[in-house]
Amino acid sequence: MRNPCKSVQSVSFVLYTLSLGLILVLAVGMFFTPLTLHAQTPSNDLEAQNEAFELEVIRLVNLERTSRGRAPLRRNANLTNAARAHNADMIANNFFSHVGSNGSSSSERACTHGYTPYGWGACYVGENIGAGYTTPAAVVNGWMNSSGHRANILNANYREVGTGHSTGGSWDNYWTLKLGAQPNVLPVFINNDTDETSTYQVTVTLTKEDVSSWGSIGTITGMQMSQDPNFTGATWQPWSQTIAFELTRGNGEKTVYVKFTDGSNTVISSDTITLNEPVPNLSVDRTSITFVSEAGSGQTVPTSFSLQIDNSGGDTLHWTASSDQTWAQFSATSGDTPATVGVSISNSSGILNGPAGTIETANITVTATNPDALNTPQTIPVTVRIVEEIFSTHLPLVFQ
């Protein structure tokens, strides 16, 4: 038996089309400002599976959109509740239709569940339904292979989404996908709404009002972007669908705020992502350095030591080097890894002019300046020993 699908799109008329055994219904739509979506702890394994299926449908739908240059859709609590309620209605009353058992339309059900209408009084939504499909991949594939359902999923006017998956009834598995837009709600997405990034360099995708300015912000004339909710120091720039942005360094949760304006009205949106960069790990190849100087020579053996400064973790590590004694000299006092730094002894203060038996000490400190870097700072003791005489021994080369 063919798994049934139906779609409804937000336009101002009703059209019934029979194609490949599918009934496509196109009906009027509008919408609302979303309430905060709170995750609900499933009460049993079935609810947990339904929730997982719903999230996977959204992930797959967003992949279809972003792979074609559309912005992803933001999950909305009101659309989610409307989708779940329609599934429950179809199962309880044994029907499969965009028209509810009480005669309600997709738009009316969205408004009933709190989605905000535009100025003309209706919610702007589209709806796909399916039955009999056992997995999210199967139902999304079914929708994408139907022109009406595909058009709904790829409609650039939609900015939000809610899904419902329920089991029972004649078809065992029921699916409802509700897509919508509501006035003054312009979602933004960091890295296409992924949860985590391993680099501070991200891409922020913006949306805009393409449905109507009736009761909503109009054509966007400028935007600001900042990690400061007060937008301190942020400059106005033209709207673009994608903008490169650098998060503040240091692992943890990062929120990016975007302020849109049409010249008269403003809308502020935000998105959050977890930055989880590979943590830099300072590595210095020496734990101590000892120079020897023959009394009266004013020179050391060896003349210099090399410090290898590296990063055994991720990313480039930035470092500085200093000493608590001015006679300990460096070929470089800062840089990026990997680096080789020469350490030598300056006799400008007469440190090498002492009698045999003199011992001078200093501490070199190498510090990583990256936030969250490990094994920093590192201290390397430096010792200078003045001796009576330095003997050189030459070993013969032996060839076989």
Side-chain angles (χ1 to χ4, degrees):
M1 182 183 301
R2 183 189 302 274
N3 292 325
C5 295
K6 290 187 180 180
S7 67
V8 58
Q9 202 172 30
S10 303
V11 296
S12 58
F13 56 88
V14 179
L15 172 65
Y16 296 90
T17 303
L18 295 177
S19 175
L20 298 177
L22 302 175
I23 300 177
L24 309 181
V25 183
L26 303 162
V28 74
M30 289 182 39
F31 85 30
F32 142 27
T33 306
L35 300 177
T36 302
L37 182 68
H38 297 283
Q40 296 179 339
T41 303
S43 60
N44 52 50
D45 291 343
L46 180 58
E47 289 186 17
Q49 183 185 42
N50 287 341
E51 174 91 5
F53 275 11
E54 292 166 359
L55 293 175
E56 179 63 4
V57 166
I58 294 175
R59 188 187 73 83
L60 294 172
V61 164
N62 279 339
L63 281 177
E64 297 290 352
R65 289 175 63 90
T66 57
S67 67
R68 293 166 176 83
R70 271 75 161 180
L73 302 169
R74 173 61 41 77
R75 193 184 190 203
N76 176 272
N78 306 109
L79 293 179
T80 298
N81 291 335
R84 290 172 175 173
H86 189 54
N87 283 349
D89 186 24
M90 288 190 291
I91 292 171
N93 294 288
N94 194 27
F95 72 96
F96 184 75
S97 172
H98 291 293
V99 179
S101 62
N102 61 353
S104 63
S105 69
S106 173
S107 173
E108 290 167 342
R109 290 191 297 273
C111 288
T112 297
H113 282 86
Y115 208 58
T116 301
Y118 274 88
W120 61 81
C123 287
Y124 187 86
V125 298
E127 182 178 88
N128 287 356
I129 57 176
Y133 296 95
T134 57
T135 67
V139 73
V140 172
N141 184 63
W143 287 331
M144 290 302 294
N145 283 296
S146 161
S147 60
H149 301 85
R150 178 189 177 94
N152 261 356
I153 288 173
L154 300 182
N155 189 331
N157 287 352
Y158 295 136
R159 304 189 291 268
E160 296 179 295
V161 65
T163 55
H165 171 260
S166 305
T167 57
S170 302
W171 291 94
D172 294 331
N173 288 273
Y174 287 76
W175 308 81
T176 296
L177 175 73
K178 297 190 77 70
L179 311 105
Q182 54 186 335
N184 297 317
V185 178
L186 303 178
V188 298
F189 305 89
I190 305 173
N191 286 358
N192 282 333
D193 212 25
T194 55
D195 294 329
E196 185 175 303
T197 177
S198 60
T199 174
Y200 67 98
Q201 297 170 316
V202 298
T203 299
V204 182
T205 299
L206 310 183
T207 57
K208 56 188 175 71
E209 181 54 82
D210 287 324
V211 177
S212 174
S213 60
W214 192 354
S216 183
I217 194 169
T219 301
I220 304 302
T221 58
M223 49 77 59
Q224 292 178 320
M225 186 177 297
S226 177
Q227 286 188 252
D228 176 7
N230 296 315
F231 297 91
T232 304
T235 58
W236 289 101
Q237 55 185 303
W239 182 95
S240 177
Q241 182 168 317
T242 57
I243 295 178
F245 188 80
E246 293 189 354
L247 303 172
T248 54
R249 303 301 293 273
N251 288 343
E253 192 174 84
K254 308 289 182 177
T255 300
V256 176
Y257 301 90
V258 180
K259 181 188 292 185
F260 300 91
T261 184
D262 62 2
S264 301
N265 307 296
T266 60
V267 170
I268 295 177
S269 302
S270 66
D271 193 22
T272 299
I273 196 168
T274 298
L275 176 61
N276 189 18
E277 293 185 283
V279 179
N281 191 349
L282 178 64
S283 171
V284 182
D285 68 339
R286 296 185 184 276
T287 57
S288 65
I289 295 175
T290 299
F291 291 91
V292 179
S293 177
E294 187 176 287
S297 69
Q299 298 179 350
T300 62
V301 177
T303 56
S304 68
F305 278 96
S306 293
L307 282 181
Q308 186 65 39
I309 303 174
D310 217 330
N311 175 19
S312 60
D315 201 11
T316 300
L317 185 145
H318 314 284
W319 57 269
T320 61
S322 61
S323 173
D324 60 359
Q325 299 293 333
T326 58
W327 48 259
Q329 300 288 298
F330 306 98
S331 61
T333 57
S334 64
D336 297 336
T337 57
T340 301
V341 179
V343 180
S344 59
I345 304 301
S346 169
N347 196 29
S348 61
S349 62
I351 185 177
L352 302 179
N353 298 338
T358 301
I359 299 177
E360 300 287 349
T361 60
N363 287 310
I364 291 174
T365 302
V366 180
T367 303
T369 59
N370 299 53
D372 301 330
L374 302 177
N375 292 323
T376 182
Q378 292 191 30
T379 300
I380 300 96
V382 178
T383 302
V384 178
R385 296 180 180 274
I386 310 296
V387 298
E388 188 68 35
E389 188 174 0
I390 297 176
F391 297 92
S392 298
T393 300
H394 301 280
L395 299 176
L397 293 176
V398 179
F399 297 94
Q400 294 183 344

